[in-house]
Amino acid sequence: MLALVRLCLLFVCLTGSAAEAELTPPDDLFMLTLNTNYTLAWDWDQSAAGSDSATFTVQYAGNHSLKKRNPKWTTVCAETSGRSCDLTRSGLNYLGLYVVRVQTNLNGRHSVWKSLQFSPDKDAVLGPPSKVRLGVSGRTLDIFITDPQNSSNSSMKEHLNKLSYDIVYWEQPEDGKGSMPDTTSTEANVVTLSSIKPWTRYCIQIRSRDDFYNKTSTFTAPLCAQTEGVVPWWKIFMYFLLSLVSCFLMVLLFLYGGHHCFQICKATFLPNEKLPSYIKQHEGDYPRLIVSDYESDLCDPVIVCPESAILVINPAVDSAAPPAGLDQDRSSRHSRQNSSSSGDSGVYSAGGNSGGLQPKVASTFTDVNPGFDSEKLNMLSMNSEFKVFPAVPDEGVVDMEV
Amino acid sequence: MGLWTLLLLLLLLAVCVSLPAPANVSITSYNMEHILRFWPDLRTPSDARFTVQIHGTRKQQWKTVAECAELTARQTCNLTSKLKDTFGYYVARVQAFRTNQTSSWTTSNLFHPLADTVLGPPEFSVSGCGNCLVLQVRDAPGPLLYQEELKDLHTEMELNVRRTRDGAEFKLKSHQQEIVISYLQPGVEYCVSITFMSFINRNSVPSEYRCAFTSPPPPQHTLFLVLGLLGGVTLLLVIVVGRFIFSRKVKNLHLPCMKFSSQSYTCLKSSLTEEDGVTT
């Protein structure tokens, strides 16, 4: 009987404890890191709790302190409802070794602790360089690298002494396939690639690396630039000559065009030729060539004779007063009277002799003509009032009006 | 009663007339040469003498420095051979004394030989090698006693490299005596400054910048070419314009042609016939 009662009690106890099930701790503990940013993430099965939401507590302690009787745990996230906790601000030493633990809390109950050992130096992921800049100088390419930054915006080289960079570069023309990439490694922050071709487009990618724990970061996005080079001397010469000639031609064209325009304008508005004064005399009237209305004013009968006839008829021509000094228009009339023309056969008959003499319609007697000497001789003979009758059979009588 | 007052008076007298302690005591070190300096109080009489004692972390007692038992006011005490425990901490103290008087002790700052010594600038030479620079660092001088320690302190170096043309600079760390800085631009000048920088000692004097070309700079023929072309064209223009002006002047002044060839006579004759044609 007693045994039966004990058995019943045991059964009740067992079922009772089964009803109050063990609270499951979080599992899949995982440290998400980048440089000095640390985030603990975990997973917890919601189905066991039903509709109630559980909270979690996160604590950490140095590994060495676990050996003590009372290890000093520092709480980072108390009763947080999310599935992660940020330990960046907890001041963890990069070279230290820590144990981080999480516990589930639900309705006043706590689960067992689930812990994870973590050392940033060994486990934290290294980030790529924070900034990369390309510069071109002649046929070389300059690369300016800024170190990856930690959570307080200072260089990761403080924690990782021997931080180095892997640089991958290749030829990448604008339209075409890239060539095989080359790799270099350096610790410096300013790198100059000099064993590359001039006038070529190159692209680069960089990642940071630390050899102690073989940490490598991801590659940065590709950056491209075109190298330059030395311009050959004949090109410089050609450009110079071309620019010189074109400038010269342009200036010449401009000057010529301007000059031409100026000439046209001047000819149009300020002409050089002046109207004769007798045309301009009548103000208000339109200029006309013929200024008088009377015919006798305007017209003079002109008789054209052959030369020999003139010499006979008009002996009173004073050769002492050479007509060279007379006015142009007065002497023209006299000379017209005195001269002969073989062309006007209606007034006088042109003889064979007169045909030999050239008509002297020119206004002055001072024409240079070797043939005139004979005429001068004739004039002189006239002065001496000596009548000369050349043997001209066909000569006619000429009417003269003085 | 009288005896006590007399004793009291004597005591007071002793206190009033006692020597003032030195005002300041400090240990300074340069390249592991440790020197103790002290500044006596202004009221200290000129015939006072000073004594020095040091006390290390290993032996917990004050020990008088034999060579510095009787120093005058302006003297210093060389402690190079006394501070042999290079990783320990030392304290020194100085007291003024006269025939019958002594002052109280003035103690110095805590001194760590390896960490607090000031390292002088490194001696090195720079030369170019195409697209790199080669640095040769020479051994720095120091007391014979601490050659090993100095060698350790001089191992880690920080280089500050700067390009002259645009001021781009970067830092490098090295621990060798022959350093090669690669991936530099050829044909330009770089300047380098080295500082000793180890974990234990950060008090190094940075060296002066030493400059060198990575490779001989390329000759600047472009400028000469352009200048030459400009000069040539200008000369050509001058000749053409000059000839034009000159030939015009010849026509106006009826100058006879200069005898350049045997055709001078022909030249003169042709100019004369030209004149005849114009006037008639």
Side-chain angles (χ1 to χ4, degrees):
Chain A
M1 189 56 189
L2 208 66
L4 200 69
V5 167
R6 276 199 198 125
L7 211 68
C8 276
L9 271 166
L10 196 70
F11 186 68
V12 164
C13 280
L14 277 168
T15 44
S17 63
E20 204 192 84
E22 277 290 319
L23 192 59
T24 50
D27 53 6
D28 284 340
L29 257 63
F30 178 72
M31 232 21 215
L32 270 159
T33 53
L34 184 73
N35 295 334
T36 54
N37 296 320
Y38 320 117
T39 308
L40 181 69
W42 59 89
D43 201 10
W44 186 70
D45 195 4
Q46 180 73 34
S47 60
S51 56
D52 302 330
S53 57
T55 60
F56 306 91
T57 309
V58 178
Q59 290 181 338
Y60 78 88
N63 199 42
H64 59 278
S65 67
L66 292 179
K67 298 186 182 73
K68 298 180 195 168
R69 244 176 305 133
N70 276 338
K72 184 170 165 292
W73 290 96
T74 314
T75 309
V76 184
C77 300
E79 314 267 316
T80 177
S81 52
R83 299 282 191 270
S84 66
C85 182
D86 187 12
L87 286 104
T88 310
R89 304 263 167 264
S90 313
L92 297 178
N93 192 316
Y94 200 80
L95 301 168
L97 181 63
Y98 299 94
V99 172
V100 187
R101 65 181 191 181
V102 195
Q103 180 189 60
T104 321
N105 314 310
L106 184 63
N107 298 333
R109 290 183 294 140
H110 308 284
S111 72
V112 293
W113 290 101
K114 203 70 184 292
S115 55
L116 171 73
Q117 207 176 58
F118 171 65
S119 169
D121 192 28
K122 198 156 64 163
D123 306 320
V125 168
L126 182 61
S130 54
K131 201 167 85 133
V132 178
R133 182 169 69 88
L134 279 183
V136 176
S137 60
R139 48 169 300 185
T140 57
L141 209 61
D142 287 337
I143 307 171
F144 300 93
I145 308 171
T146 315
D147 295 332
Q149 309 266 291
N150 64 10
S151 49
S152 44
N153 275 344
S154 59
S155 166
M156 277 302 285
K157 274 192 174 163
E158 284 175 19
H159 307 290
L160 294 166
N161 229 1
K162 300 254 188 298
L163 189 74
S164 61
Y165 301 103
D166 288 336
I167 303 171
V168 175
Y169 61 99
W170 66 95
E171 280 176 58
Q172 181 71 53
E174 301 243 347
D175 52 343
K177 240 162 62 79
S179 72
M180 281 296 293
D182 277 316
T183 320
T184 54
S185 190
T186 174
E187 275 187 33
N189 286 70
V190 177
V191 180
T192 304
L193 299 174
S194 48
S195 53
I196 50 177
K197 299 185 207 156
W199 309 111
T200 325
R201 190 158 176 270
Y202 279 92
C203 289
I204 62 158
Q205 274 189 308
I206 307 183
R207 69 171 179 194
S208 35
R209 197 180 72 199
D210 183 69
D211 286 329
F212 198 81
Y213 282 116
N214 274 337
K215 287 198 214 185
T216 53
S217 75
T218 55
F219 275 105
T220 59
L223 266 176
C224 303
Q226 169 115 14
T227 55
E228 289 165 9
V230 182
V231 183
W233 68 270
W234 58 267
K235 254 192 191 171
I236 297 171
F237 189 72
M238 197 179 73
Y239 290 145
F240 179 77
L241 223 60
L242 267 165
S243 57
L244 190 81
V245 167
S246 58
C247 251
F248 177 72
L249 284 173
M250 256 171 54
V251 170
L252 205 70
L253 206 73
F254 182 72
L255 282 174
Y256 177 72
H259 181 71
H260 197 61
C261 277
F262 175 71
Q263 294 286 25
I264 288 170
C265 290
K266 192 161 165 251
T268 312
F269 299 114
L270 301 162
N272 238 353
E273 296 82 19
K274 297 226 184 313
L275 294 170
S277 52
Y278 60 81
I279 290 175
K280 273 195 194 160
Q281 265 171 16
H282 295 260
E283 298 297 332
D285 288 0
Y286 50 88
R288 14 180 223 177
L289 278 171
I290 299 165
V291 289
S292 174
D293 286 324
Y294 298 101
E295 211 178 90
S296 56
D297 272 346
L298 298 171
C299 302
D300 277 328
V302 174
I303 301 162
V304 182
C305 321
E307 225 177 70
S308 50
I310 296 162
L311 291 171
V312 168
I313 288 158
N314 199 356
V317 171
D318 195 14
S319 64
L326 292 173
D327 284 329
Q328 214 58 349
D329 38 8
R330 298 278 183 263
S331 65
S332 62
R333 272 210 263 167
H334 284 293
S335 54
R336 265 194 218 104
Q337 291 168 0
N338 294 335
S339 56
S340 62
S341 167
S342 59
D344 202 356
S345 56
V347 180
Y348 58 91
S349 63
N353 279 2
S354 67
L357 286 168
Q358 294 296 323
K360 285 285 168 278
V361 197
S363 52
T364 63
F365 282 103
T366 55
D367 283 338
V368 173
N369 196 342
F372 202 74
D373 291 341
S374 56
E375 221 172 54
K376 278 188 182 164
L377 267 165
N378 289 338
M379 295 293 285
L380 286 168
S381 64
M382 272 182 342
N383 260 356
S384 57
E385 300 202 16
F386 189 64
K387 290 189 177 70
V388 175
F389 292 91
V392 181
D394 305 349
E395 292 294 357
V397 180
V398 182
D399 283 336
M400 295 287 291
E401 272 187 29
V402 181
Chain B
M1 190 63 191
L3 199 67
W4 285 116
T5 44
L6 204 69
L7 228 71
L8 207 69
L9 274 166
L10 267 167
L11 204 70
L12 273 164
L13 211 72
V15 166
C16 290
V17 180
S18 67
L19 282 176
N24 197 6
V25 179
S26 74
I27 309 175
T28 50
S29 174
Y30 185 78
N31 275 342
M32 293 299 277
E33 294 255 358
H34 315 303
I35 307 286
L36 176 104
R37 284 189 178 82
F38 59 92
W39 288 266
D41 191 277
L42 294 164
R43 295 164 291 159
T44 317
S46 53
D47 62 340
R49 295 286 174 268
F50 300 88
T51 185
V52 177
Q53 284 185 342
I54 52 172
H55 163 33
T57 42
R58 298 279 167 84
K59 294 181 184 174
Q60 297 284 333
Q61 65 179 65
W62 288 101
K63 194 171 156 210
T64 310
V65 178
E67 297 86 358
C68 308
E70 268 194 47
L71 291 176
T72 58
R74 281 181 222 290
Q75 281 180 311
T76 57
C77 186
N78 191 335
L79 297 172
T80 307
S81 50
K82 307 293 171 206
L83 310 181
K84 290 221 189 83
D85 180 16
T86 47
F87 280 96
Y89 283 93
Y90 286 94
V91 178
R93 64 180 189 180
V94 181
Q95 178 193 52
F97 69 93
R98 268 161 96 190
T99 9
N100 279 335
Q101 296 165 325
T102 54
S103 74
S104 56
W105 292 99
T106 314
T107 43
S108 72
N109 47 307
L110 204 64
F111 182 74
H112 189 292
L114 276 183
D116 296 337
T117 187
V118 173
L119 296 173
E123 286 275 316
F124 65 101
S125 64
V126 201
S127 59
C129 57
N131 67 341
C132 50
L133 282 177
V134 177
L135 306 170
Q136 287 280 1
V137 186
R138 289 188 270 278
D139 281 332
L144 214 66
L145 193 60
Y146 300 119
Q147 281 302 311
E148 289 289 321
E149 285 86 355
L150 278 171
K151 222 164 89 162
D152 285 337
L153 288 176
H154 291 159
T155 309
E156 286 289 326
M157 284 172 283
E158 189 183 71
L159 321 172
N160 208 320
V161 186
R162 186 181 65 194
R163 185 161 57 189
T164 310
R165 68 169 178 91
D166 63 343
E169 55 183 326
F170 59 95
K171 287 191 184 7
L172 273 182
K173 280 197 176 357
S174 175
H175 47 269
Q176 278 144 4
Q177 286 213 297
E178 189 172 315
I179 309 165
V180 176
I181 310 172
S182 43
Y183 298 112
L184 299 176
Q185 188 181 2
V188 288
E189 195 189 36
Y190 281 87
C191 296
V192 187
S193 160
I194 306 185
T195 316
F196 289 121
M197 184 111 31
S198 49
F199 268 118
I200 200 161
N201 187 299
R202 302 261 159 169
N203 309 325
S204 174
V205 177
S207 76
E208 296 270 314
Y209 274 98
R210 260 178 229 220
C211 304
F213 275 87
T214 43
S215 69
Q220 288 276 28
H221 62 271
T222 317
L223 190 68
F224 292 136
L225 192 72
V226 170
L227 283 173
L229 279 170
L230 268 169
V233 168
T234 314
L235 196 69
L236 207 71
L237 269 167
V238 165
I239 288 170
V240 165
V241 169
R243 196 196 174 281
F244 184 68
I245 293 170
F246 188 65
S247 66
R248 230 200 209 166
K249 276 195 176 157
V250 166
K251 276 189 192 165
N252 291 342
L253 295 175
H254 306 287
L255 288 168
C257 290
M258 285 169 67
K259 190 171 184 177
F260 284 111
S261 63
S262 58
Q263 289 165 359
S264 58
Y265 176 64
T266 324
C267 175
L268 190 67
K269 194 173 147 201
S270 63
S271 69
L272 285 172
T273 49
E274 266 174 40
E275 281 175 33
D276 287 341
V278 165
T279 52
T280 54

